[in-house]
Amino acid sequence: MDIVRIQDVPIDVNEGIAAIIDERAGGEAIFLGTVRNVFEGRASRGLFYEAYRDLAEKEMKRIEEELKREFDVLHVVMVHRIGELALGEIAVMVAVSAAHRHQAIRACEAGIDRIKSRVPIWKKERWADGKTAWHDDPEAGAGQMR
Amino acid sequence: MDIVRIQDVPIDVNEGIAAIIDERAGGEAIFLGTVRNVFEGRASRGLFYEAYRDLAEKEMKRIEEELKREFDVLHVVMVHRIGELALGEIAVMVAVSAAHRHQAIRACEAGIDRIKSRVPIWKKERWADGKTAWHDDPEAGAGQMR
Amino acid sequence: MAEITVLFFSYAADRMNGRQHRYTIEPGTTIGDLYRQEMEERLQQPVAAFMFSVNAEWAAPSQILHDGDEVAVIPPVSGG
Amino acid sequence: MAEITVLFFSYAADRMNGRQHRYTIEPGTTIGDLYRQEMEERLQQPVAAFMFSVNAEWAAPSQILHDGDEVAVIPPVSGG
């Protein structure tokens, strides 16, 4: 089964694993992106995510189709959470199954790389000092954000 | 937390994920090896795994230390199941967390590759026709097993 | 004349003081035209700093807008 | 004379008709010596086809065995 979804409730890893398990599969690769307590050397207390949901889900669906075509994977799960996330919480899950392990791992890595580079989702850092800043905001200061 | 274990009970993915989640981590990579219904083109109904447990756990512990040293990962979980496994069941779980996603994915892949090449564990295929054969048994026939 | 809606996200929404604006445009106006007329000054970046979509599909700055279109101004993405 | 235990796994256990054998060896006997004397004929492969361990640690075929050692004959591994 495939799942492509933006959601504002916590991500359930078991839902993703149940969706990709298949008797034809020898390998399942799962990637979880979680909220770090530091970004570029500065202490953080969490992240806020927003998405342009219609286009984001459409783009994730395209990535799903690319992974199936390029890596010969059986099932693809891509779920991204939005809203306020605490440290350690899961922001994104990518899970794929394939006949062989390297296909699964390569596809999983391509999945998260393409989500990060193409899907219209943005994160705002909530710094430990109380300030906030969107990632890639040119006015946030080169020393603070890339 | 790290886990390195050979066990004869089903693998609990949630145990592995709980062990590697860390506020310092931005990425968690999990690999599951599952029992396929076909091997080298021939229908299978399951696998039997055996291990030289003392040496296997020692070697897995060495791999854990290598991953931490080479990939700068925070936590490593490696659990391999032995005994009779049905189709679709999880035979092995490798799970790692790291600050950045590529470290986690690279370490996870190295972990399963090294388990497969170095840890004294063996599998016997239970073919759908009722026959059985150890993998790599030179007498099992070149056409049936690599 | 045509009525269009523009969605803003991330720091573009902060700079535009809102996540959604409505504009009335001349026939033949492109995304790039609208950006330079209505947004460039407040966003303080050239049109090339953003991606765009029309009706939830990617669109080039040269695309001509029509009545009822929903445009989105999309800063560099940072999901994951 | 020394008493040692040898463990067999996978198809090596099948061919040796058992997962564990005990042998009495001369002083100075190496793993390779023991293999050639007691196992090569039944396993039908040269010593290089296997890995070995002594007391649950990897060992070369040239390693000399001592009283009480537990040797393992380790076919190509196939875990995962």
Side-chain angles (χ1 to χ4, degrees):
Chain A
M1 199 177 91
D2 301 316
I3 303 174
V4 168
R5 191 169 64 222
I6 305 285
Q7 65 183 37
D8 55 13
V9 294
I11 287 175
D12 178 358
V13 179
N14 293 309
E15 181 201 19
I17 291 172
I20 60 169
I21 289 276
D22 190 307
E23 291 186 356
R24 296 170 295 169
E28 285 77 22
I30 301 113
F31 175 80
L32 306 176
T34 47
V35 179
R36 291 178 67 201
N37 62 7
V38 63
F39 182 74
E40 300 194 344
R42 186 172 172 186
S44 174
R45 65 166 67 134
L47 290 169
F48 173 78
Y49 284 91
E50 74 166 2
Y52 181 19
R53 190 185 292 230
D54 291 351
L55 182 55
E57 290 187 344
K58 210 181 279 186
E59 192 70 15
M60 286 163 73
K61 181 79 188 156
R62 276 191 280 254
I63 294 169
E64 177 216 309
E65 289 161 3
E66 292 167 8
L67 299 184
K68 287 193 163 182
R69 194 168 59 239
E70 294 173 33
F71 300 93
D72 200 23
V73 295
L74 294 163
H75 304 284
V76 175
V77 169
M78 290 187 288
V79 180
H80 205 300
R81 186 171 166 198
I82 55 173
E84 292 287 354
L85 271 71
L87 298 180
E89 284 199 289
I90 300 169
V92 60
M93 164 171 60
V94 178
V96 302
S97 54
H100 300 289
R101 71 186 186 283
H102 290 298
Q103 292 171 306
I105 293 168
R106 284 288 87 72
C108 185
E109 184 167 34
I112 182 62
D113 285 351
R114 293 177 196 187
I115 287 172
K116 288 180 75 90
S117 68
R118 288 164 41 187
V119 176
I121 300 174
W122 300 270
K123 58 161 97 62
K124 182 159 63 175
E125 203 79 37
R126 290 185 285 118
W127 299 115
D129 64 10
K131 296 200 177 91
T132 65
W134 290 102
H135 278 224
D136 299 304
D137 183 345
E139 292 197 0
Q144 294 170 8
M145 312 288 294
R146 79 188 140 84
Chain B
M1 199 177 92
D2 302 315
I3 303 174
V4 168
R5 192 169 63 224
I6 305 284
Q7 65 182 40
D8 55 12
V9 295
I11 287 176
D12 178 358
V13 179
N14 292 310
E15 181 201 19
I17 292 172
I20 61 169
I21 289 276
D22 190 307
E23 292 187 355
R24 296 169 294 168
E28 284 77 22
I30 300 113
F31 176 80
L32 306 176
T34 48
V35 180
R36 292 179 68 201
N37 62 8
V38 64
F39 182 74
E40 300 194 345
R42 186 173 172 186
S44 175
R45 66 166 64 134
L47 289 170
F48 173 78
Y49 284 92
E50 75 167 2
Y52 181 18
R53 191 186 290 231
D54 290 351
L55 182 55
E57 290 185 344
K58 210 182 278 186
E59 192 69 15
M60 285 163 73
K61 182 79 188 155
R62 276 191 279 254
I63 294 169
E64 177 217 309
E65 288 160 5
E66 292 167 8
L67 300 184
K68 288 194 163 180
R69 194 168 59 239
E70 294 174 32
F71 299 93
D72 200 24
V73 296
L74 293 163
H75 303 284
V76 175
V77 169
M78 289 188 288
V79 180
H80 205 300
R81 187 172 167 197
I82 54 174
E84 293 287 354
L85 271 72
L87 299 180
E89 284 199 289
I90 301 168
V92 59
M93 164 171 61
V94 178
V96 302
S97 54
H100 301 290
R101 72 186 185 283
H102 290 297
Q103 293 170 307
I105 293 169
R106 284 289 88 73
C108 185
E109 184 167 34
I112 182 61
D113 284 352
R114 293 177 196 188
I115 286 172
K116 287 180 76 90
S117 68
R118 288 164 40 187
V119 176
I121 301 174
W122 301 270
K123 56 161 98 61
K124 182 159 64 175
E125 202 79 36
R126 290 187 284 120
W127 300 113
D129 64 11
K131 297 199 177 93
T132 65
W134 289 103
H135 277 224
D136 298 304
D137 182 346
E139 291 197 0
Q144 294 170 8
M145 311 289 296
R146 78 188 140 80
Chain C
M1 303 299 278
E3 288 279 323
I4 61 134
T5 303
V6 181
L7 308 178
F8 299 97
F9 297 95
S10 180
Y11 58 84
D14 292 350
R15 301 245 210 303
M16 295 300 292
N17 286 320
R19 301 174 49 77
Q20 186 170 330
H21 285 215
R22 294 182 67 81
Y23 298 96
T24 304
I25 59 172
E26 304 278 346
T29 301
T30 67
I31 295 172
D33 295 337
L34 178 68
Y35 181 86
R36 283 179 285 269
Q37 289 159 24
E38 303 286 353
M39 302 159 202
E40 188 161 26
E41 189 174 4
R42 287 172 91 163
L43 293 178
Q44 299 190 319
Q45 288 186 284
V47 66
F50 296 95
M51 302 274 278
F52 299 92
S53 69
V54 175
N55 302 325
E57 197 43 81
W58 300 107
S62 59
Q63 185 165 323
I64 292 171
L65 296 170
H66 300 95
D67 191 55
D69 279 351
E70 180 183 87
V71 176
V73 175
I74 297 179
V77 302
S78 55
Chain D
M1 304 299 278
E3 288 278 323
I4 61 133
T5 304
V6 182
L7 308 179
F8 300 97
F9 296 94
S10 181
Y11 58 83
D14 293 351
R15 301 245 209 303
M16 296 300 292
N17 286 320
R19 301 173 50 75
Q20 186 170 329
H21 285 217
R22 293 183 67 82
Y23 298 95
T24 303
I25 59 172
E26 304 277 347
T29 301
T30 67
I31 294 172
D33 296 336
L34 178 69
Y35 181 86
R36 283 180 287 267
Q37 289 160 24
E38 304 285 353
M39 303 161 201
E40 189 161 25
E41 190 173 4
R42 287 172 92 161
L43 293 178
Q44 299 191 319
Q45 287 186 285
V47 65
F50 296 95
M51 302 276 278
F52 299 92
S53 69
V54 175
N55 302 326
E57 198 42 82
W58 300 105
S62 60
Q63 185 165 323
I64 292 171
L65 297 171
H66 299 96
D67 191 54
D69 278 351
E70 181 184 85
V71 176
V73 176
I74 298 178
V77 302
S78 56

